[in-house]
Amino acid sequence: MIKFFVWFLALQAGLFGLELTPWAQQWFVVPWTNTLAAISASIVKLFDPEVISHGKVLQSTSSGFAVSIEAGCNGVEATIVLVAAILSFPAKWSRKLIGLAAGVVAVQGLNIVRVISLFYLGQWNFNVFEWAHLYVWQALIMLDVLIVWLLWVRTLPRAAPAVSA
Amino acid sequence: MRASLARFILRVAAWLPLTFAIWYLAAPLLAWPVALLAELFMKSAFGDLIRGVEQSGALLTFITSLKPAQGTLPGAARAVVSAESNVLLFSFGFPMLAALILAAREPHLVRHLLVGYFVLLPFQTWGVVVDVLKNVVILAPPAISAQTGFDSWQREVIVFAYQFGSLILPTVAPAIVWVLMHRRFLENFATQARGGTAQTPSATGAEHSR
């Protein structure tokens, strides 16, 4: 358990530090955030055609209201935590890769729900938007990470007891 | 394990509105130790930079010894710069932890809640301290930030510490605390999925490759 936490904290700090570098921002974080805005807009357009995305901004063309997806809301940090938790836990690499693929989809899927919900909450009531944005959704995304990790751990087979010859 | 993951998630979801409401209403009380710790740390680590801390609800105002830029305010010669920090921004992980503890239904609920609250205080203090430092060292006008005397590498450390303290710690610290306090719960949880009955409080029973 101690080894797991040491690896988890080290990996998490390392990946987070890497995320903050200009290189990672330019080649990964900004393109991903723009893609997230585009995906969110394409989903919203299914029931609300007056929504566009430009860069990291999701905007209503009718009301002019817009949300900009900033650090902490693009799901990158939550993904880093999940990646660190899965990579640090003792398991076969094949299972880690499956967990990472499914987990990233789960975390980013919920993050799209967060972006879209905040987009509409902001147009309805700014105080509710602030509460959901600053506190509630942050906690929910981390709960999602925790639950995904728990589900993944549950899928791991228990190690066979060591046999001494 | 007494309940499935789905039931556990439902219980967490049911507790969250209540824990968030209590956390918000009790914020002035819950934030008080953070104000004390932040003031103690700032005065110990940064000498004369901080003169005092005033608390209004969950909002902390740090009175600094920094002078405003000349000519920006009437009476600026006697004025000092203050910086604010909202404890709620760094403590919202506590209602999440409380919901997880209550949903797990393990023995010693009250003890777990109290331990969780006190263990999270240093992380919340970290957030507040680096938030104040970011405001006076990074975001303040050059005429003010220059008075702090921080080097460029120290500014980089403050930026990293702020990002880590605001984007990672507020939610990861409670999750880690919960996992550490509920190792047996988690082991039973994993064992149940495999159809076993073991109750060893270890999470290292899975197959190894590292």
Side-chain angles (χ1 to χ4, degrees):
Chain A
M1 190 61 131
I2 291 171
K3 190 177 174 185
F4 163 70
F5 274 108
V6 170
W7 270 101
F8 171 66
L9 293 173
L11 261 177
Q12 188 181 238
L15 289 171
F16 186 67
L18 185 67
E19 184 214 344
L20 295 180
T21 61
W23 179 85
Q25 290 288 320
Q26 181 185 350
W27 293 103
F28 174 68
V29 177
V30 172
W32 168 247
T33 309
N34 294 348
T35 305
L36 185 63
I39 293 171
S40 302
S42 63
I43 293 172
V44 172
K45 276 179 182 172
L46 295 174
F47 53 88
D48 185 354
E50 295 178 328
V51 172
I52 58 167
S53 72
H54 45 94
K56 59 183 179 180
V57 174
L58 190 65
Q59 185 167 24
S60 166
T61 54
S62 57
S63 69
F65 180 85
V67 291
S68 176
I69 304 171
E70 300 294 336
C73 292
N74 53 15
V76 173
E77 290 77 18
T79 303
I80 284 174
V81 174
L82 180 69
V83 168
I86 288 179
L87 291 183
S88 307
F89 201 81
K92 282 184 178 173
W93 277 103
S94 57
R95 291 185 179 274
K96 288 184 181 185
L97 291 175
I98 292 169
L100 286 175
V104 169
V105 169
V107 170
Q108 292 297 338
L110 187 66
N111 199 52
I112 288 172
V113 175
R114 162 162 75 169
V115 171
I116 294 173
S117 72
L118 289 175
F119 177 67
Y120 284 102
L121 282 175
Q123 295 177 74
W124 172 59
N125 185 310
F126 192 73
N127 288 330
V128 176
F129 167 84
E130 283 285 276
W131 240 83
H133 173 224
L134 295 175
Y135 314 129
V136 178
W137 264 117
Q138 302 272 56
L140 290 179
I141 291 290
M142 188 48 60
L143 282 174
D144 186 33
V145 170
L146 182 62
I147 289 164
V148 166
W149 181 74
L150 286 175
L151 280 170
W152 175 74
V153 168
R154 265 169 71 112
T155 67
L156 299 176
R158 192 172 184 81
V163 178
S164 56
Chain B
M1 250 288 291
R2 293 183 295 274
S4 67
L5 177 63
R7 282 186 196 166
F8 173 69
I9 295 170
L10 283 175
R11 286 201 300 270
V12 173
W15 277 112
L16 271 177
L18 187 65
T19 56
F20 262 103
I22 293 171
W23 162 77
Y24 187 71
L25 292 172
L29 184 66
L30 296 175
W32 179 68
V34 179
L36 284 180
L37 287 172
E39 182 174 11
L40 186 69
F41 179 82
M42 292 291 261
K43 284 184 172 175
S44 308
F46 304 110
D48 297 331
L49 181 63
I50 299 296
R51 289 183 176 176
V53 179
E54 295 172 0
Q55 182 182 355
S56 174
L59 191 68
L60 306 184
T61 303
F62 289 75
I63 314 299
T64 75
S65 56
L66 305 173
K67 300 289 183 187
Q70 290 293 323
T72 55
L73 289 169
R78 283 180 298 168
V80 290
V81 172
S82 65
E84 291 183 339
S85 184
N86 185 353
V87 179
L88 294 180
L89 292 174
F90 307 100
S91 65
F92 61 82
F94 179 61
M96 182 185 97
L97 173 63
L100 284 167
I101 290 172
L102 293 165
R105 291 180 172 174
E106 289 289 280
H108 314 299
L109 275 178
V110 175
R111 192 173 75 187
H112 280 155
L113 288 169
L114 285 172
V115 169
Y117 170 71
F118 285 108
V119 169
L120 291 184
L121 286 178
F123 298 101
Q124 297 169 11
T125 305
W126 170 321
V128 168
V129 166
V130 292
D131 188 29
V132 170
L133 288 175
K134 176 209 68 177
N135 286 333
V136 297
V137 178
I138 309 295
L139 299 183
I144 295 173
S145 61
Q147 298 172 47
T148 60
F150 284 97
D151 296 329
S152 59
W153 70 268
Q154 291 172 314
R155 292 167 184 260
E156 293 295 328
V157 170
I158 290 171
V159 170
F160 181 82
Y162 171 73
Q163 299 271 16
F164 198 73
S166 60
L167 297 176
I168 298 283
L169 283 184
T171 50
V172 171
I176 291 175
V177 170
W178 182 77
V179 168
L180 286 173
M181 286 197 298
H182 293 78
R183 279 177 289 178
R184 178 166 294 183
F185 174 86
L186 294 171
E187 178 65 18
N188 289 344
F189 189 71
T191 305
Q192 185 203 40
R194 298 173 193 124
T197 55
Q199 291 194 357
T200 52
S202 164
T204 57
E207 56 192 82
H208 288 250
S209 68
R210 202 182 53 232

